[in-house]
Amino acid sequence: MIKPETVQKILDAARIEEVVGDFVSLKKRGTNLLGLCPFHNEKTPSFVVSPAKGIFKCFGCGKAGSAVHFIMEHEHSSYPEALKYLAKKYNIEIEEAAKTPEDILRENLMDRLYNLNSFAQKHFSDLLFNDSRGRSVGLSYFKERGFLEDTIKSFQLGYAVDDYEELINYAIKNGYKKDIIEASGLVTVRDDGKIYDRFRGRVIFPIHNLTGRVIGFGGRIMTADKTKAKYINSPETEIYHKSNTLYGIYFAKSAIVAQDVCYLVEGYTDVISMHQAGFKNVVASSGTSLTVEQIALIKRFTQNVTIIYDGDFAGIKASLRGIDMVLEAGLNVRIVPLPPEDDPDSFVRNHSSSEVMAYLKDKACDFIRFKTELLLKDAADDPIKRAEVIKDVVGSIALIADPIYRSVFLKECASLLDIKEQTLIFETNKIISKKNYQKKDNVPLIAEQKPEEKTDVNKVVREKYQPDNHSFLERSVIEKLLLYGQIECDYDTSIEDEQPQESEPELVSTAEYILSETVYDGIEFENFAYKKIIDIYLKAKEAGSIPDIKYFINNEDADLSKTVAEIIATPYTLSDNWSEYKVYVKKESDDVANTVIRSLLALKVSYLKRIRDKIQEKMKTASDEQAIELIKKDIGLKEHEMYINKILNRIIT
């Protein structure tokens, strides 16, 4: 764990323009810098870097954040990894919290395992190319599969000779101790304590982690011995955890990002064949059911997964639960079933790349439709089985977080299942309600949730001139809170008073004033992200402090950092030419008090309108007595609304 003071030192040293400038060609545009976004293809620059605010923001794809989050996004690294990257760039020595003796031993063990695995991989590869047994058995096998020599070397494939102690003796001869050899999983330990090579007589598929280090091995037997497993893998070790690993991820990660989709297959040769054919964005679960950790690994690089299956009906049915987990993680899932006689490896070898691409494009089907049609085939005309299919499909749809997608799938499945859409909606909501109750969560039904807001900054800029837009007015107040929260002003004199004060002004922080005029005045923000920011200020105020903008920009919470960067970023900047010609342009920061008060009053007008709209709606069904009370309340609110509009110099028609 990196010490907090070291983290702060890194954050203070990192200059956003220098960090981004290593990857993007930037040109000065006023006080900001402009360039082509590295996260999506564009011809017209929309990627803005603000050195003054310490943020980047793409007004095309929406990516935003600090220097740390730029590295996280660009290099697909974790927060600590990004900090270490910046520490290296700025020659800052990483000081980590004191490690226990157990931590030190574990790290030493991991380093020794990495070294041994690298040694073993090189030995297996050397045997494949330079040993007569490796060439005649292993290399011949790979070439029969159609693997080119460059592909074999790229994936570091190898061969383990059919000898019980060949690797053990070679490793010991080169200085490796017996304890680390046993801990690596490269050997099997018998009950009598004797050890022997685990992968003997097999072709070797090294398994790499995200950074390309060998963490384990897979081996395929080269004989027809039915008593032995066709494929075996390394056992769990300190550096290899099968549930956290996807075969081929190191070779695929860049292509997955570039193409924004990940092809998921089952085996080692499937990955290698597809990669060689030009489909580099492919990984394998290595014969295991998908795990939450594997899905999270894919999600780091894309939201889109296409699963390629062979034609085995039973195998596909058995894997449906795993795909439900992908849906629950919020990924978009498509299925491509191959002809019954093919798996991805054979299909790619028997067809040209263009034919494979056309097939993947034409046959890709969304998972819900695929699952519905697949299960309906099995149910035939049996009403009980059809009812089970409906429950199964509804269970999958309930996992989809996006309400728009869910609505589309419900409508489509109602047609496929020949059942009323309202029935499916009702059953889906029951599942969601039960799940939320079990979690003791007060989250509303997903069907009733608003879709997650995608910030369209150009739209936001347009909405700046539409004062009745409540969402923008909330955003405007939060923007002032973030930019001027620590600035103290005289808020006792409201903007309509023209008489000068005789007494000394009482200065109040902008953060305290905004909180008193909103939260303490009963105004609740509707946007969840803005609520989160308000909560942070409330907790900080209770602790006697006010967070500055850097707290949010450099926050470890990437979503929070992005939200704040989006709020304070602007595609516009004031030209230096104005000052050269001695033309003074007034900025909102020149009069923070009036700027803040006007934003708050505009929000209050919108808030009052929303209350009045609800009153008008209640009047439609109210009794005469109730209507009178509602009218009185409405008149009072209208008078207050008109009073605020008068302060804002608004003419109401």
Side-chain angles (χ1 to χ4, degrees):
M1 182 178 175
I2 304 174
K3 289 184 176 180
E5 53 266 34
T6 307
V7 172
Q8 193 57 53
K9 193 175 180 181
I10 295 168
L11 296 177
D12 291 341
R15 295 173 63 86
I16 186 74
E17 66 272 25
E18 293 174 351
V19 174
V20 176
D22 289 341
F23 304 92
V24 181
S25 177
L26 298 170
K27 293 183 179 179
K28 190 167 175 59
R29 177 71 64 84
T31 57
N32 291 338
L33 300 164
L34 189 68
L36 292 171
C37 180
F39 304 118
H40 78 289
N41 294 324
E42 63 177 9
K43 294 181 180 179
T44 304
S46 61
F47 184 84
V48 176
V49 172
S50 173
K53 295 175 180 175
I55 62 170
F56 72 91
K57 167 69 180 175
C58 177
F59 289 90
C61 68
K63 295 270 196 284
S66 66
V68 179
H69 297 110
F70 177 86
I71 295 300
M72 289 173 66
E73 192 74 44
H74 195 277
E75 300 299 295
H76 308 290
S77 58
S78 64
Y79 187 77
E81 288 168 345
L83 287 173
K84 289 177 182 178
Y85 174 97
L86 294 173
K88 185 177 180 181
K89 176 178 173 62
Y90 289 97
N91 298 314
I92 297 172
E93 185 178 347
I94 292 288
E95 294 181 41
E96 301 195 30
K99 297 173 184 174
T100 65
E102 291 78 11
D103 291 334
I104 296 170
L105 284 173
R106 183 173 178 273
E107 286 189 8
N108 288 339
L109 173 60
M110 291 173 70
D111 287 339
R112 291 165 70 199
L113 288 173
Y114 280 127
N115 289 334
L116 177 56
N117 278 354
S118 178
F119 168 82
Q121 176 270 308
K122 290 173 183 173
H123 180 57
F124 291 144
S125 294
D126 181 63
L127 288 173
L128 182 71
F129 285 104
N130 302 316
D131 185 279
S132 58
R133 295 165 293 180
R135 288 196 304 270
S136 62
V137 181
L139 195 57
S140 295
Y141 168 77
F142 286 135
K143 289 189 173 180
E144 284 173 8
R145 303 295 301 234
F147 296 167
L148 302 176
E149 193 164 305
D150 285 346
T151 303
I152 295 170
K153 288 181 177 178
S154 177
F155 280 84
Q156 300 178 334
L157 306 182
Y159 178 73
V161 298
D162 196 3
D163 186 306
Y164 277 83
E165 298 179 335
E166 193 277 335
L167 177 63
I168 296 168
N169 293 334
Y170 187 70
I172 291 173
K173 182 181 175 181
N174 282 271
Y176 290 95
K177 303 297 183 184
K178 187 177 178 181
D179 65 329
I180 197 66
I181 296 173
E182 291 183 12
S184 71
L186 286 163
V187 298
T188 300
V189 183
R190 292 199 318 203
D191 292 339
D192 60 5
K194 187 173 178 58
I195 61 175
Y196 57 88
D197 292 356
R198 179 182 297 275
F199 295 103
R200 63 190 185 282
R202 295 175 182 267
V203 288
I204 302 298
F205 300 87
I207 301 168
H208 303 81
N209 65 8
L210 269 178
T211 60
R213 302 181 82 173
V214 178
I215 55 176
F217 299 90
R220 185 195 190 280
I221 197 167
M222 290 287 95
T223 66
D225 189 346
K226 299 294 184 182
T227 63
K228 296 179 180 177
K230 186 176 180 180
Y231 281 95
I232 60 172
N233 292 316
S234 294
E236 296 276 312
T237 68
E238 282 291 330
I239 61 173
Y240 176 59
H241 304 283
K242 193 170 185 177
S243 62
N244 296 351
T245 305
L246 288 166
Y247 181 73
I249 188 66
Y250 170 67
F251 305 97
K253 58 182 181 179
S254 296
I256 293 172
V257 173
Q259 298 178 43
D260 197 22
V261 64
C262 176
Y263 289 121
L264 184 62
V265 294
E266 187 174 357
Y268 304 126
T269 56
D270 296 330
V271 169
I272 298 170
S273 288
M274 289 193 67
H275 192 278
Q276 183 173 275
F279 301 91
K280 301 185 187 301
N281 51 327
V282 58
V283 298
S285 57
S286 302
T288 64
S289 298
L290 273 174
T291 65
V292 172
E293 294 81 8
Q294 288 172 333
I295 295 166
L297 189 55
I298 293 173
K299 196 173 181 180
R300 287 178 63 174
F301 302 99
T302 183
Q303 291 287 118
N304 304 301
V305 180
T306 297
I307 303 175
I308 304 175
Y309 283 118
D310 58 30
D312 176 20
F313 178 78
I316 294 174
K317 280 193 68 178
S319 66
L320 292 180
R321 172 67 191 118
I323 305 176
D324 277 352
M325 292 166 60
V326 182
L327 283 177
E328 195 166 16
L331 298 179
N332 305 314
V333 190
R334 297 180 75 79
I335 308 294
V336 176
L338 295 176
E341 68 277 7
D342 276 313
D343 56 27
D345 174 33
S346 64
F347 188 76
V348 168
R349 284 190 284 114
N350 295 329
H351 296 81
S352 67
S353 294
S354 59
E355 288 173 336
V356 174
M357 177 58 76
Y359 186 91
L360 294 177
K361 189 175 181 180
D362 293 342
K363 300 295 183 181
C365 174
D366 71 74
F367 169 61
I368 298 297
R369 171 179 275 275
F370 177 81
K371 181 175 183 177
T372 304
E373 292 177 345
L374 182 73
L375 296 180
L376 280 177
K377 286 180 184 177
D378 194 36
D381 295 326
D382 188 328
I384 295 176
K385 286 187 176 180
R386 284 183 67 84
E388 291 173 353
V389 169
I390 292 169
K391 289 182 179 180
D392 200 337
V393 171
V394 165
S396 292
I397 294 175
L399 298 173
I400 300 172
D402 190 303
I404 295 176
Y405 283 119
R406 231 190 79 233
S407 177
V408 170
F409 287 130
L410 284 169
K411 187 179 290 292
E412 185 176 6
C413 287
S415 175
L416 289 170
L417 296 166
D418 192 22
I419 190 171
K420 289 182 179 179
E421 182 183 349
Q422 194 57 43
T423 303
L424 296 183
I425 292 173
F426 178 74
E427 290 300 318
T428 304
N429 284 343
K430 276 173 58 179
I431 294 172
I432 297 169
S433 297
K434 183 178 179 182
K435 183 170 64 174
N436 288 338
Y437 176 77
Q438 289 171 342
K439 290 181 178 179
K440 295 183 179 179
D441 204 349
N442 291 323
V443 179
L445 299 183
I446 293 178
E448 298 172 5
Q449 286 181 337
K450 293 181 180 179
E452 183 181 348
E453 293 183 10
K454 277 192 175 180
T455 305
D456 178 351
V457 179
N458 293 322
K459 183 181 177 184
V460 169
V461 172
R462 291 194 301 272
E463 288 172 344
K464 192 167 188 176
Y465 304 100
Q466 298 176 13
D468 291 332
N469 186 291
H470 191 78
S471 176
F472 175 77
L473 294 173
E474 283 192 350
R475 180 193 183 97
S476 178
V477 171
I478 295 296
E479 179 188 29
K480 308 302 182 289
L481 177 62
L482 291 165
L483 292 175
Y484 312 124
Q486 293 185 314
I487 296 177
E488 294 187 337
C489 299
D490 177 15
Y491 285 107
D492 279 344
T493 304
S494 60
I495 60 177
E496 78 274 19
D497 288 339
E498 297 178 0
Q499 298 298 322
Q501 282 187 320
E502 295 181 2
S503 59
E504 283 292 320
E506 183 179 348
L507 300 181
V508 179
S509 72
T510 298
E512 188 172 353
Y513 181 72
I514 289 176
L515 292 176
S516 67
E517 292 293 311
T518 55
V519 179
Y520 302 143
D521 208 22
I523 295 177
E524 185 176 346
F525 285 80
E526 295 179 1
N527 185 292
F528 177 78
Y530 303 163
K531 284 182 182 178
K532 188 174 182 180
I533 292 170
I534 288 288
D535 286 343
I536 291 172
Y537 275 100
L538 285 170
K539 289 176 183 176
K541 185 176 179 296
E542 289 173 6
S545 65
I546 300 172
D548 62 7
I549 193 69
K550 287 184 178 179
Y551 170 83
F552 294 95
I553 293 297
N554 294 317
N555 201 283
E556 187 173 351
D557 184 338
D559 290 336
L560 177 62
S561 174
K562 179 185 175 183
T563 298
V564 170
E566 286 176 343
I567 292 170
I568 66 174
T570 173
Y572 309 123
T573 184
L574 195 64
S575 173
D576 296 331
N577 295 334
W578 293 108
S579 58
E580 289 180 16
Y581 290 106
K582 297 183 179 180
V583 176
Y584 177 70
V585 180
K586 189 175 181 180
K587 296 173 286 188
E588 69 173 26
S589 57
D590 294 334
D591 191 352
V592 171
N594 272 346
T595 295
V596 171
I597 292 172
R598 285 186 176 277
S599 288
L600 283 166
L601 290 176
L603 178 62
K604 286 186 176 183
V605 168
S606 179
Y607 190 74
L608 289 170
K609 280 184 178 179
R610 294 165 93 81
I611 296 175
R612 290 186 62 211
D613 287 343
K614 291 178 181 177
I615 289 174
Q616 297 291 337
E617 194 63 32
K618 286 181 181 178
M619 283 186 189
K620 294 177 183 178
T621 56
S623 64
D624 291 344
E625 189 175 328
Q626 290 171 331
I628 291 171
E629 292 301 315
L630 289 171
I631 290 170
K632 287 180 181 178
K633 190 173 182 180
D634 183 55
I635 291 172
L637 292 172
K638 185 178 180 180
E639 288 175 352
H640 190 38
E641 183 184 328
M642 291 176 67
Y643 172 72
I644 295 175
N645 278 318
K646 183 180 178 182
I647 296 173
L648 293 171
N649 293 319
R650 290 180 180 174
I651 299 173
I652 307 300
T653 59

